[in-house]
Amino acid sequence: MLALRRIEKSYPLAGGSLPVLKGIDLDIGQGEMVAIMGSSGSGKSTLLNVLGLLDGFDGGDYDLDGVDMAGLSEKQAARYRSQFLGFVFQSFNLIAFKTALENAALPLFYQKVSRRERQKRAMEMLGKMGMDDRADHLPSELSGGQKQRVAIARALITSPRVILADEPTGALDSTTSSEVMEVLREVNESGITVIIVTHEADIAAKCDRVIRLRDGVIIEDGLSSEVFEPTANGAGPV
Ligand code: ADP
Ligand code: MG
């Protein structure tokens, strides 16, 4: 459902430009759970932002659900984002003065859903995240893992086909990270495509497929069981 061909992107730099994506070819099908791995600066967030229509690209083709995404207006991009895509970020991006329920409900406000319906659906979604008993809490009253559950509820509330998560466990301890990965696995099992950017091998190993970026180029793309194949001496993911 997502197809990238020869995608290139540069950022302007004093006296020239910095190439960040250098010809990305990538197909991701409906229902996949994919990790995009790579060291800091390799272009992971840039690639995710292109996939999520948060940022444009300079060259190549991007086909989302059969539609050419080149040259979309900001308004069209916003419509595709709200129709197809949900976002989860390392820093949660919750609104500090709104409750968990209000944060989870927010995308429905922009879709002009009635207040009553927004609250009902947000409460259901918080329930699925095991967070209904925290609906009235402000983000400052929640742990990191709880904040990320609220953020995932917010991402899911518009029934997206794809969840794009940029280092969703980057601010969490390892136990909480595992719990958040279990939540994202359940999301995936409901049929939603999940794409997770991470630089941590143990997070990537929990996805079905691993794409490795280096300097804006895909250097590896395979099943995580193959990418993280135990070596002869029994070492785990590297
Ligand atoms: P990653 O997420 O893998 O750490 P990024 O995609 O954020 O990498 O960044 C890739 C490269 O692009 C880095 O060299 C970074 O400094 C540069 N970069 C990212 N965003 C911008 C921007 N908005 N303007 C200029 N350069 C950027
Ligand atoms: Mg990044």
Side-chain angles (χ1 to χ4, degrees), residues 28-189:
I28 298 177
Q30 183 70 44
E32 285 201 67
M33 181 149 173
V34 182
I36 298 174
M37 268 196 93
S39 54
S40 179
S42 57
K44 304 182 298 297
S45 294
T46 303
L47 176 57
L48 201 75
N49 290 345
V50 167
L51 287 170
L53 306 173
L54 293 168
D55 208 347
F57 48 97
D58 308 323
D61 298 308
Y62 175 17
D63 193 295
L64 172 61
D65 201 40
V67 180
D68 179 11
M69 293 290 122
L72 282 191
S73 69
E74 183 43 47
K75 196 173 168 184
Q76 290 167 317
R79 205 180 68 224
Y80 277 105
R81 281 197 301 270
S82 76
Q83 205 177 328
F84 276 103
L85 308 172
F87 296 89
V88 177
F89 301 96
Q90 174 173 359
S91 51
F92 321 120
N93 293 10
L94 299 176
I95 297 178
F97 57 85
K98 288 190 180 290
T99 65
L101 186 79
E102 290 165 338
N103 269 286
L106 199 61
L108 298 178
F109 175 83
Y110 295 109
Q111 291 191 351
K112 304 191 167 58
V113 174
S114 74
R115 183 184 165 83
R116 192 189 165 87
E117 178 72 13
R118 291 200 303 267
Q119 294 205 332
K120 179 172 158 271
R121 282 166 61 183
M123 194 52 118
E124 276 170 18
M125 201 50 79
L126 287 179
K128 285 189 187 165
M129 296 295 128
M131 286 290 297
D132 37 344
D133 58 338
R134 298 287 150 77
D136 298 333
H137 288 233
L138 293 172
S140 59
E141 300 163 341
L142 300 172
S143 70
Q146 290 170 337
K147 283 183 217 176
Q148 201 58 301
R149 282 167 195 264
V150 174
I152 294 170
R154 178 185 57 189
L156 289 173
I157 199 146
T158 53
S159 306
R161 305 250 304 270
V162 184
I163 292 284
L164 299 154
D166 195 348
E167 310 263 8
T169 63
L172 306 176
D173 63 61
S174 64
T175 307
T176 312
S177 293
S178 293
E179 288 166 10
V180 164
M181 287 305 292
E182 278 167 29
V183 170
L184 290 171
R185 171 59 74 181
E186 284 166 25
V187 167
N188 174 250
E189 282 169 357

Side-chain angles (χ1 to χ4, degrees), residues 228-238:
F228 296 117
E229 198 177 350
T231 56
N233 64 17
V238 284

